[in-house]
mmCIF file of all heavy atoms in Angstrom:
data_model
loop_
_atom_site.group_PDB
_atom_site.id
_atom_site.type_symbol
_atom_site.label_atom_id
_atom_site.label_comp_id
_atom_site.label_asym_id
_atom_site.label_seq_id
_atom_site.Cartn_x
_atom_site.Cartn_y
_atom_site.Cartn_z
ATOM 1 N N THR T 649 14.925 76.816 -9.438
ATOM 2 C CA THR T 649 15.395 77.232 -10.766
ATOM 3 C C THR T 649 14.278 77.030 -11.780
ATOM 4 O O THR T 649 13.968 75.893 -12.148
ATOM 5 C CB THR T 649 16.631 76.411 -11.183
ATOM 6 O OG1 THR T 649 17.605 76.485 -10.143
ATOM 7 C CG2 THR T 649 17.217 76.938 -12.479
ATOM 8 N N PRO T 650 13.639 78.094 -12.252
ATOM 9 C CA PRO T 650 12.491 77.934 -13.154
ATOM 10 C C PRO T 650 12.869 77.695 -14.610
ATOM 11 O O PRO T 650 12.098 77.098 -15.360
ATOM 12 C CB PRO T 650 11.756 79.264 -13.009
ATOM 13 C CG PRO T 650 12.829 80.249 -12.670
ATOM 14 C CD PRO T 650 13.844 79.498 -11.858
ATOM 15 N N LEU T 651 14.063 78.151 -15.033
ATOM 16 C CA LEU T 651 14.451 78.077 -16.443
ATOM 17 C C LEU T 651 15.661 77.171 -16.604
ATOM 18 O O LEU T 651 16.424 76.953 -15.654
ATOM 19 C CB LEU T 651 14.771 79.481 -16.969
ATOM 20 C CG LEU T 651 13.617 80.486 -16.924
ATOM 21 C CD1 LEU T 651 14.106 81.873 -17.333
ATOM 22 C CD2 LEU T 651 12.470 80.043 -17.810
ATOM 23 N N PRO T 652 15.867 76.637 -17.811
ATOM 24 C CA PRO T 652 17.029 75.771 -18.037
ATOM 25 C C PRO T 652 18.332 76.447 -17.644
ATOM 26 O O PRO T 652 18.552 77.620 -17.900
ATOM 27 C CB PRO T 652 16.977 75.495 -19.541
ATOM 28 C CG PRO T 652 15.522 75.601 -19.888
ATOM 29 C CD PRO T 652 15.003 76.707 -19.012
ATOM 30 N N ASP T 653 19.200 75.640 -17.002
ATOM 31 C CA ASP T 653 20.485 76.152 -16.533
ATOM 32 C C ASP T 653 21.457 74.976 -16.528
ATOM 33 O O ASP T 653 21.277 74.025 -15.767
ATOM 34 C CB ASP T 653 20.337 76.745 -15.131
ATOM 35 C CG ASP T 653 21.608 77.390 -14.617
ATOM 36 O OD1 ASP T 653 22.641 76.706 -14.578
ATOM 37 O OD2 ASP T 653 21.558 78.575 -14.234
ATOM 38 N N ALA T 654 22.485 75.036 -17.365
ATOM 39 C CA ALA T 654 23.393 73.899 -17.535
ATOM 40 C C ALA T 654 24.097 73.530 -16.231
ATOM 41 O O ALA T 654 24.221 72.344 -15.891
ATOM 42 C CB ALA T 654 24.416 74.208 -18.618
ATOM 43 N N ALA T 655 24.560 74.541 -15.478
ATOM 44 C CA ALA T 655 25.299 74.264 -14.242
ATOM 45 C C ALA T 655 24.393 73.630 -13.192
ATOM 46 O O ALA T 655 24.780 72.674 -12.512
ATOM 47 C CB ALA T 655 25.920 75.553 -13.711
ATOM 48 N N VAL T 656 23.190 74.161 -13.053
ATOM 49 C CA VAL T 656 22.252 73.609 -12.084
ATOM 50 C C VAL T 656 21.857 72.180 -12.476
ATOM 51 O O VAL T 656 21.789 71.279 -11.636
ATOM 52 C CB VAL T 656 21.001 74.506 -11.977
ATOM 53 C CG1 VAL T 656 19.923 73.824 -11.130
ATOM 54 C CG2 VAL T 656 21.368 75.852 -11.362
ATOM 55 N N ALA T 657 21.601 71.975 -13.766
ATOM 56 C CA ALA T 657 21.230 70.634 -14.244
ATOM 57 C C ALA T 657 22.335 69.627 -13.944
ATOM 58 O O ALA T 657 22.063 68.491 -13.511
ATOM 59 C CB ALA T 657 20.939 70.666 -15.740
ATOM 60 N N ALA T 658 23.599 70.028 -14.158
ATOM 61 C CA ALA T 658 24.722 69.126 -13.891
ATOM 62 C C ALA T 658 24.819 68.806 -12.407
ATOM 63 O O ALA T 658 25.099 67.662 -12.016
ATOM 64 C CB ALA T 658 26.021 69.762 -14.386
ATOM 65 N N SER T 659 24.579 69.801 -11.549
ATOM 66 C CA SER T 659 24.639 69.587 -10.102
ATOM 67 C C SER T 659 23.550 68.619 -9.648
ATOM 68 O O SER T 659 23.792 67.722 -8.830
ATOM 69 C CB SER T 659 24.506 70.931 -9.380
ATOM 70 O OG SER T 659 24.523 70.751 -7.984
ATOM 71 N N ILE T 660 22.342 68.783 -10.192
ATOM 72 C CA ILE T 660 21.234 67.898 -9.821
ATOM 73 C C ILE T 660 21.495 66.479 -10.333
ATOM 74 O O ILE T 660 21.204 65.489 -9.656
ATOM 75 C CB ILE T 660 19.912 68.453 -10.379
ATOM 76 C CG1 ILE T 660 19.590 69.800 -9.733
ATOM 77 C CG2 ILE T 660 18.762 67.476 -10.132
ATOM 78 C CD1 ILE T 660 18.431 70.532 -10.382
ATOM 79 N N ASP T 661 22.075 66.386 -11.532
ATOM 80 C CA ASP T 661 22.408 65.072 -12.096
ATOM 81 C C ASP T 661 23.410 64.342 -11.208
ATOM 82 O O ASP T 661 23.294 63.131 -10.966
ATOM 83 C CB ASP T 661 22.973 65.265 -13.501
ATOM 84 C CG ASP T 661 23.187 63.943 -14.227
ATOM 85 O OD1 ASP T 661 22.350 63.031 -14.063
ATOM 86 O OD2 ASP T 661 24.171 63.817 -14.961
ATOM 87 N N THR T 662 24.397 65.059 -10.704
ATOM 88 C CA THR T 662 25.391 64.467 -9.800
ATOM 89 C C THR T 662 24.718 63.955 -8.523
ATOM 90 O O THR T 662 25.027 62.863 -8.037
ATOM 91 C CB THR T 662 26.478 65.495 -9.443
ATOM 92 O OG1 THR T 662 27.139 65.909 -10.643
ATOM 93 C CG2 THR T 662 27.491 64.906 -8.475
ATOM 94 N N ALA T 663 23.796 64.737 -7.995
ATOM 95 C CA ALA T 663 23.073 64.317 -6.791
ATOM 96 C C ALA T 663 22.206 63.092 -7.057
ATOM 97 O O ALA T 663 22.061 62.223 -6.190
ATOM 98 C CB ALA T 663 22.206 65.469 -6.280
ATOM 99 N N ALA T 664 21.637 63.012 -8.257
ATOM 100 C CA ALA T 664 20.826 61.842 -8.614
ATOM 101 C C ALA T 664 21.665 60.574 -8.597
ATOM 102 O O ALA T 664 21.251 59.532 -8.076
ATOM 103 C CB ALA T 664 20.201 62.044 -9.994
ATOM 104 N N ARG T 665 22.866 60.660 -9.148
ATOM 105 C CA ARG T 665 23.754 59.490 -9.164
ATOM 106 C C ARG T 665 24.147 59.090 -7.748
ATOM 107 O O ARG T 665 24.232 57.901 -7.424
ATOM 108 C CB ARG T 665 24.996 59.782 -9.996
ATOM 109 C CG ARG T 665 24.699 60.086 -11.468
ATOM 110 C CD ARG T 665 25.992 60.215 -12.227
ATOM 111 N NE ARG T 665 25.837 60.965 -13.458
ATOM 112 C CZ ARG T 665 26.567 60.784 -14.536
ATOM 113 N NH1 ARG T 665 27.491 59.858 -14.546
ATOM 114 N NH2 ARG T 665 26.382 61.517 -15.621
ATOM 115 N N ALA T 666 24.405 60.092 -6.909
ATOM 116 C CA ALA T 666 24.779 59.799 -5.523
ATOM 117 C C ALA T 666 23.623 59.129 -4.776
ATOM 118 O O ALA T 666 23.828 58.189 -4.003
ATOM 119 C CB ALA T 666 25.193 61.094 -4.810
ATOM 120 N N ALA T 667 22.401 59.610 -5.019
ATOM 121 C CA ALA T 667 21.234 58.998 -4.376
ATOM 122 C C ALA T 667 21.065 57.554 -4.825
ATOM 123 O O ALA T 667 20.764 56.662 -4.024
ATOM 124 C CB ALA T 667 19.977 59.803 -4.705
ATOM 125 N N ALA T 668 21.285 57.289 -6.118
ATOM 126 C CA ALA T 668 21.169 55.920 -6.629
ATOM 127 C C ALA T 668 22.230 55.025 -6.016
ATOM 128 O O ALA T 668 21.963 53.854 -5.696
ATOM 129 C CB ALA T 668 21.291 55.921 -8.151
ATOM 130 N N ALA T 669 23.438 55.551 -5.836
ATOM 131 C CA ALA T 669 24.521 54.757 -5.245
ATOM 132 C C ALA T 669 24.179 54.355 -3.816
ATOM 133 O O ALA T 669 24.636 53.306 -3.342
ATOM 134 C CB ALA T 669 25.821 55.559 -5.271
ATOM 135 N N ARG T 670 23.367 55.153 -3.134
ATOM 136 C CA ARG T 670 22.940 54.817 -1.769
ATOM 137 C C ARG T 670 21.713 53.915 -1.764
ATOM 138 O O ARG T 670 21.242 53.523 -0.700
ATOM 139 C CB ARG T 670 22.627 56.099 -0.987
ATOM 140 C CG ARG T 670 23.824 56.978 -0.696
ATOM 141 C CD ARG T 670 23.516 57.950 0.439
ATOM 142 N NE ARG T 670 22.377 58.798 0.120
ATOM 143 C CZ ARG T 670 22.467 59.980 -0.499
ATOM 144 N NH1 ARG T 670 23.638 60.413 -0.903
ATOM 145 N NH2 ARG T 670 21.407 60.704 -0.724
ATOM 146 N N GLY T 671 21.159 53.642 -2.937
ATOM 147 C CA GLY T 671 19.974 52.796 -3.001
ATOM 148 C C GLY T 671 18.664 53.556 -2.994
ATOM 149 O O GLY T 671 17.599 52.939 -3.004
ATOM 150 N N ALA T 672 18.714 54.896 -2.995
ATOM 151 C CA ALA T 672 17.492 55.707 -3.001
ATOM 152 C C ALA T 672 17.059 55.934 -4.448
ATOM 153 O O ALA T 672 17.147 57.042 -4.989
ATOM 154 C CB ALA T 672 17.728 57.032 -2.287
ATOM 155 N N HIS T 673 16.561 54.884 -5.111
ATOM 156 C CA HIS T 673 16.302 54.947 -6.548
ATOM 157 C C HIS T 673 15.117 55.850 -6.898
ATOM 158 O O HIS T 673 15.126 56.511 -7.931
ATOM 159 C CB HIS T 673 16.086 53.542 -7.093
ATOM 160 C CG HIS T 673 17.288 52.663 -6.924
ATOM 161 N ND1 HIS T 673 18.463 52.893 -7.592
ATOM 162 C CD2 HIS T 673 17.506 51.579 -6.137
ATOM 163 C CE1 HIS T 673 19.356 51.975 -7.240
ATOM 164 N NE2 HIS T 673 18.798 51.173 -6.363
ATOM 165 N N SER T 674 14.091 55.872 -6.072
ATOM 166 C CA SER T 674 12.944 56.739 -6.349
ATOM 167 C C SER T 674 13.357 58.211 -6.322
ATOM 168 O O SER T 674 12.968 58.999 -7.188
ATOM 169 C CB SER T 674 11.826 56.485 -5.335
ATOM 170 O OG SER T 674 11.316 55.188 -5.467
ATOM 171 N N VAL T 675 14.142 58.572 -5.309
ATOM 172 C CA VAL T 675 14.648 59.945 -5.211
ATOM 173 C C VAL T 675 15.549 60.257 -6.402
ATOM 174 O O VAL T 675 15.452 61.327 -7.017
ATOM 175 C CB VAL T 675 15.416 60.135 -3.886
ATOM 176 C CG1 VAL T 675 16.092 61.506 -3.850
ATOM 177 C CG2 VAL T 675 14.479 59.968 -2.704
ATOM 178 N N ALA T 676 16.415 59.309 -6.744
ATOM 179 C CA ALA T 676 17.333 59.502 -7.873
ATOM 180 C C ALA T 676 16.572 59.718 -9.170
ATOM 181 O O ALA T 676 16.959 60.550 -9.998
ATOM 182 C CB ALA T 676 18.261 58.294 -7.999
ATOM 183 N N ALA T 677 15.485 58.982 -9.356
ATOM 184 C CA ALA T 677 14.696 59.112 -10.580
ATOM 185 C C ALA T 677 14.089 60.506 -10.701
ATOM 186 O O ALA T 677 14.121 61.125 -11.775
ATOM 187 C CB ALA T 677 13.599 58.051 -10.608
ATOM 188 N N VAL T 678 13.537 61.012 -9.609
ATOM 189 C CA VAL T 678 12.935 62.358 -9.616
ATOM 190 C C VAL T 678 13.999 63.415 -9.919
ATOM 191 O O VAL T 678 13.780 64.332 -10.727
ATOM 192 C CB VAL T 678 12.249 62.642 -8.264
ATOM 193 C CG1 VAL T 678 11.806 64.099 -8.189
ATOM 194 C CG2 VAL T 678 11.054 61.718 -8.069
ATOM 195 N N LEU T 679 15.158 63.298 -9.285
ATOM 196 C CA LEU T 679 16.226 64.266 -9.511
ATOM 197 C C LEU T 679 16.740 64.209 -10.950
ATOM 198 O O LEU T 679 16.980 65.246 -11.579
ATOM 199 C CB LEU T 679 17.382 64.008 -8.536
ATOM 200 C CG LEU T 679 17.120 64.360 -7.072
ATOM 201 C CD1 LEU T 679 18.278 63.898 -6.202
ATOM 202 C CD2 LEU T 679 16.896 65.858 -6.895
ATOM 203 N N ALA T 680 16.896 62.998 -11.488
ATOM 204 C CA ALA T 680 17.393 62.868 -12.859
ATOM 205 C C ALA T 680 16.409 63.461 -13.865
ATOM 206 O O ALA T 680 16.810 64.096 -14.846
ATOM 207 C CB ALA T 680 17.660 61.401 -13.179
ATOM 208 N N GLU T 681 15.125 63.257 -13.624
ATOM 209 C CA GLU T 681 14.120 63.861 -14.519
ATOM 210 C C GLU T 681 14.181 65.380 -14.447
ATOM 211 O O GLU T 681 14.051 66.071 -15.469
ATOM 212 C CB GLU T 681 12.726 63.359 -14.157
ATOM 213 C CG GLU T 681 12.420 61.961 -14.647
ATOM 214 C CD GLU T 681 10.926 61.707 -14.735
ATOM 215 O OE1 GLU T 681 10.237 62.458 -15.457
ATOM 216 O OE2 GLU T 681 10.455 60.761 -14.066
ATOM 217 N N ARG T 682 14.370 65.906 -13.240
ATOM 218 C CA ARG T 682 14.455 67.357 -13.101
ATOM 219 C C ARG T 682 15.724 67.889 -13.763
ATOM 220 O O ARG T 682 15.720 68.963 -14.386
ATOM 221 C CB ARG T 682 14.434 67.745 -11.616
ATOM 222 C CG ARG T 682 14.367 69.244 -11.361
ATOM 223 C CD ARG T 682 13.152 69.872 -11.991
ATOM 224 N NE ARG T 682 13.124 71.321 -11.796
ATOM 225 C CZ ARG T 682 12.433 72.164 -12.545
ATOM 226 N NH1 ARG T 682 11.699 71.697 -13.553
ATOM 227 N NH2 ARG T 682 12.452 73.449 -12.301
ATOM 228 N N ALA T 683 16.824 67.139 -13.668
ATOM 229 C CA ALA T 683 18.060 67.530 -14.341
ATOM 230 C C ALA T 683 17.835 67.598 -15.848
ATOM 231 O O ALA T 683 18.324 68.517 -16.518
ATOM 232 C CB ALA T 683 19.170 66.539 -14.014
#
């Protein structure tokens, strides 16, 4: 996704939280920044 997109950003944000809940904080940080 090259341009801002609210739905895509929300989906990536959800995945970031899920990654953090599993302890994958580095992955979660990258996803949250992209969101």
Side-chain angles (χ1 to χ4, degrees):
T649 307
L651 299 174
D653 184 304
V656 171
S659 178
I660 296 170
D661 187 38
T662 299
R665 298 186 201 210
R670 293 199 301 270
H673 298 293
S674 295
V675 173
V678 172
L679 289 173
E681 283 201 58
R682 186 58 183 159

